[in-house]
Amino acid sequence: MYRPYKLGMIHFSDLSQKRLRDWLLHLANRTQVTKELGIGRNTLYRYLDKIKKETSSIEELFTLQQVQTLIKLENADWQKYLTQKADLAAKKAAKADLDHQEAQLTKTLHQYGWGEITDNLEFAQLIDLQQGSAEQKQQARAILQRWPAAKQKKYDKYQKQVQNHE
Protein backbone atom coordinates (compact mmCIF):
# COMPACT_ATOMS: atom_id res chain seq x y z
CA MET A 1 0.00 0.00 0.00
CA TYR A 2 1.27 3.48 -0.92
CA ARG A 3 1.81 5.84 2.02
CA PRO A 4 3.26 9.21 1.15
CA TYR A 5 5.50 10.80 3.71
CA LYS A 6 4.04 13.78 5.41
CA LEU A 7 6.52 16.57 5.95
CA GLY A 8 6.09 18.78 8.95
CA MET A 9 6.58 22.53 8.85
CA ILE A 10 10.13 23.84 9.17
CA HIS A 11 10.96 25.42 12.50
CA PHE A 12 13.67 28.00 13.13
CA SER A 13 14.93 29.48 16.31
CA ASP A 14 13.33 32.83 17.08
CA LEU A 15 16.53 34.74 16.45
CA SER A 16 17.17 33.05 13.09
CA GLN A 17 13.58 33.60 12.04
CA LYS A 18 13.77 37.28 13.01
CA ARG A 19 17.06 37.83 11.14
CA LEU A 20 15.79 36.12 7.99
CA ARG A 21 12.53 38.05 8.18
CA ASP A 22 14.30 41.41 8.67
CA TRP A 23 16.71 40.68 5.84
CA LEU A 24 13.88 39.67 3.51
CA LEU A 25 11.76 42.72 4.35
CA HIS A 26 14.44 45.40 4.43
CA LEU A 27 17.73 44.39 2.81
CA ALA A 28 17.04 41.75 0.18
CA ASN A 29 17.35 42.54 -3.51
CA ARG A 30 13.78 41.81 -4.63
CA THR A 31 14.60 41.10 -8.29
CA GLN A 32 17.32 38.64 -7.29
CA VAL A 33 14.98 36.92 -4.81
CA THR A 34 12.22 36.50 -7.40
CA LYS A 35 14.70 35.16 -9.96
CA GLU A 36 16.36 32.72 -7.53
CA LEU A 37 13.09 31.48 -6.02
CA GLY A 38 11.29 31.17 -9.34
CA ILE A 39 8.26 33.10 -8.19
CA GLY A 40 6.61 36.19 -9.64
CA ARG A 41 7.13 39.69 -8.37
CA ASN A 42 3.49 40.04 -7.34
CA THR A 43 3.65 36.77 -5.41
CA LEU A 44 6.74 37.94 -3.56
CA TYR A 45 5.09 41.22 -2.64
CA ARG A 46 1.99 39.40 -1.42
CA TYR A 47 4.21 37.18 0.74
CA LEU A 48 6.11 40.19 2.09
CA ASP A 49 2.83 41.91 2.92
CA LYS A 50 1.66 38.84 4.86
CA ILE A 51 5.00 38.67 6.69
CA LYS A 52 4.83 42.38 7.58
CA LYS A 53 1.31 42.03 8.92
CA GLU A 54 2.43 38.84 10.72
CA THR A 55 -0.51 36.85 9.40
CA SER A 56 1.90 34.22 8.04
CA SER A 57 5.47 33.23 8.69
CA ILE A 58 8.27 32.46 6.27
CA GLU A 59 7.92 28.73 6.97
CA GLU A 60 4.26 28.77 5.96
CA LEU A 61 4.72 30.71 2.74
CA PHE A 62 7.89 29.25 1.22
CA THR A 63 8.85 25.66 0.43
CA LEU A 64 11.88 23.98 1.94
CA GLN A 65 13.99 24.60 -1.16
CA GLN A 66 12.92 28.23 -1.31
CA VAL A 67 13.83 28.75 2.36
CA GLN A 68 17.23 27.19 1.70
CA THR A 69 17.70 29.55 -1.24
CA LEU A 70 16.72 32.51 0.95
CA ILE A 71 19.28 31.45 3.54
CA LYS A 72 21.97 31.14 0.85
CA LEU A 73 21.14 34.60 -0.49
CA GLU A 74 21.26 36.08 3.00
CA ASN A 75 24.62 34.43 3.69
CA ALA A 76 25.99 35.71 0.38
CA ASP A 77 24.86 39.24 1.31
CA TRP A 78 26.48 38.86 4.72
CA GLN A 79 29.78 37.69 3.21
CA LYS A 80 29.68 40.59 0.75
CA TYR A 81 29.07 42.99 3.65
CA LEU A 82 31.98 41.55 5.64
CA THR A 83 34.29 41.84 2.63
CA GLN A 84 33.29 45.46 2.06
CA LYS A 85 33.74 46.21 5.76
CA ALA A 86 37.23 44.67 5.75
CA ASP A 87 38.17 46.61 2.61
CA LEU A 88 36.93 49.84 4.18
CA ALA A 89 38.92 49.18 7.35
CA ALA A 90 42.05 48.47 5.29
CA LYS A 91 41.56 51.69 3.31
CA LYS A 92 41.13 53.69 6.52
CA ALA A 93 44.28 52.13 7.99
CA ALA A 94 46.24 52.85 4.81
CA LYS A 95 45.00 56.46 4.76
CA ALA A 96 45.90 56.92 8.43
CA ASP A 97 49.34 55.50 7.70
CA LEU A 98 49.78 57.86 4.74
CA ASP A 99 48.67 60.83 6.84
CA HIS A 100 51.22 59.87 9.51
CA GLN A 101 53.96 59.50 6.89
CA GLU A 102 53.08 62.88 5.38
CA ALA A 103 53.26 64.53 8.80
CA GLN A 104 56.64 62.90 9.45
CA LEU A 105 57.95 63.98 6.06
CA THR A 106 56.76 67.57 6.53
CA LYS A 107 58.36 67.70 9.97
CA THR A 108 61.66 66.34 8.65
CA LEU A 109 61.67 68.71 5.66
CA HIS A 110 61.06 71.72 7.91
CA GLN A 111 63.75 70.50 10.29
CA TYR A 112 66.33 70.55 7.49
CA GLY A 113 65.05 73.76 5.90
CA TRP A 114 63.32 72.25 2.88
CA GLY A 115 60.05 73.93 3.82
CA GLU A 116 61.58 77.28 2.93
CA ILE A 117 62.54 76.01 -0.50
CA THR A 118 58.97 75.00 -1.29
CA ASP A 119 57.76 78.35 0.01
CA ASN A 120 60.32 80.12 -2.20
CA LEU A 121 59.03 78.18 -5.20
CA GLU A 122 55.48 79.34 -4.46
CA PHE A 123 56.75 82.89 -4.00
CA ALA A 124 58.54 82.81 -7.37
CA GLN A 125 55.39 81.54 -9.07
CA LEU A 126 53.40 84.35 -7.45
CA ILE A 127 55.88 86.97 -8.66
CA ASP A 128 55.55 85.56 -12.20
CA LEU A 129 51.77 85.85 -11.93
CA GLN A 130 52.02 89.44 -10.72
CA GLN A 131 54.12 90.35 -13.73
CA GLY A 132 51.64 88.79 -16.17
CA SER A 133 48.31 89.92 -17.60
CA ALA A 134 45.47 91.57 -15.66
CA GLU A 135 43.77 88.22 -15.15
CA GLN A 136 46.98 86.71 -13.75
CA LYS A 137 47.43 89.71 -11.45
CA GLN A 138 43.89 89.18 -10.13
CA GLN A 139 44.67 85.50 -9.57
CA ALA A 140 47.90 86.46 -7.73
CA ARG A 141 45.95 88.84 -5.44
CA ALA A 142 43.46 86.05 -4.64
CA ILE A 143 46.27 83.63 -3.79
CA LEU A 144 48.00 86.22 -1.62
CA GLN A 145 44.78 86.93 0.30
CA ARG A 146 44.31 83.23 1.06
CA TRP A 147 47.71 82.95 2.71
CA PRO A 148 48.04 83.44 6.46
CA ALA A 149 49.66 86.64 7.71
CA ALA A 150 52.95 84.90 8.58
CA LYS A 151 53.33 83.56 5.05
CA GLN A 152 52.48 86.99 3.61
CA LYS A 153 55.30 88.52 5.71
CA LYS A 154 57.69 85.87 4.42
CA TYR A 155 56.60 86.71 0.89
CA ASP A 156 57.26 90.43 1.43
CA LYS A 157 60.72 89.60 2.76
CA TYR A 158 61.39 87.30 -0.22
CA GLN A 159 60.18 89.95 -2.66
CA LYS A 160 62.58 92.54 -1.16
CA GLN A 161 65.48 90.08 -1.43
CA VAL A 162 64.69 89.39 -5.08
CA GLN A 163 64.42 93.10 -5.91
CA ASN A 164 67.76 93.86 -4.19
CA HIS A 165 69.54 91.20 -6.28
CA GLU A 166 68.20 92.48 -9.57
Side-chain angles (χ1 to χ4, degrees), residues 3-18:
R3 289 188 182 182
Y5 290 104
K6 183 177 179 184
L7 295 174
M9 190 171 35
I10 304 168
H11 293 288
F12 292 108
S13 68
D14 292 336
L15 182 61
S16 299
Q17 187 176 5
K18 182 182 180 301

Side-chain angles (χ1 to χ4, degrees), residues 102-130:
E102 183 180 3
Q104 284 289 113
L105 181 64
T106 305
K107 181 180 175 185
T108 305
L109 288 176
H110 281 292
Q111 184 178 0
Y112 291 107
W114 284 91
E116 294 175 15
I117 292 172
T118 56
D119 284 346
N120 290 348
L121 180 62
E122 288 179 8
F123 295 158
Q125 290 171 348
L126 188 63
I127 288 175
D128 287 343
L129 283 176
Q130 286 177 339

Side-chain angles (χ1 to χ4, degrees), residues 4-69:
Y5 290 104
K6 183 177 179 184
L7 295 174
M9 190 171 35
I10 304 168
H11 293 288
F12 292 108
S13 68
D14 292 336
L15 182 61
S16 299
Q17 187 176 5
K18 182 182 180 301
R19 284 185 181 166
L20 187 61
R21 188 177 136 268
D22 288 344
W23 173 80
L24 186 61
L25 291 176
H26 303 293
L27 302 173
N29 183 347
R30 307 279 166 81
T31 55
Q32 185 181 13
V33 170
T34 56
K35 188 169 75 173
E36 294 287 330
L37 294 181
I39 60 176
R41 191 180 72 217
N42 291 334
T43 305
L44 178 67
Y45 283 109
R46 256 188 285 121
Y47 287 175
L48 293 176
D49 191 42
K50 288 180 182 181
I51 292 171
K52 279 182 191 174
K53 293 178 181 176
E54 296 183 2
T55 56
S56 298
S57 65
I58 292 174
E59 299 91 11
E60 295 170 355
L61 297 172
F62 296 104
T63 65
L64 176 62
Q65 290 176 340
Q66 289 174 335
V67 170
Q68 286 176 331
T69 305

Side-chain angles (χ1 to χ4, degrees), residues 85-101:
K85 187 176 177 183
D87 289 346
L88 184 63
K91 285 180 183 177
K92 282 183 181 179
K95 181 168 175 22
D97 187 42
L98 284 177
D99 290 343
H100 176 70
Q101 288 178 8

Side-chain angles (χ1 to χ4, degrees), residues 126 136-147 152:
L126 188 63
Q136 289 176 334
K137 288 178 183 177
Q138 179 63 30
Q139 187 180 6
R141 279 191 290 263
I143 291 171
L144 191 59
Q145 288 175 353
R146 280 185 277 163
W147 285 349
Q152 288 178 5

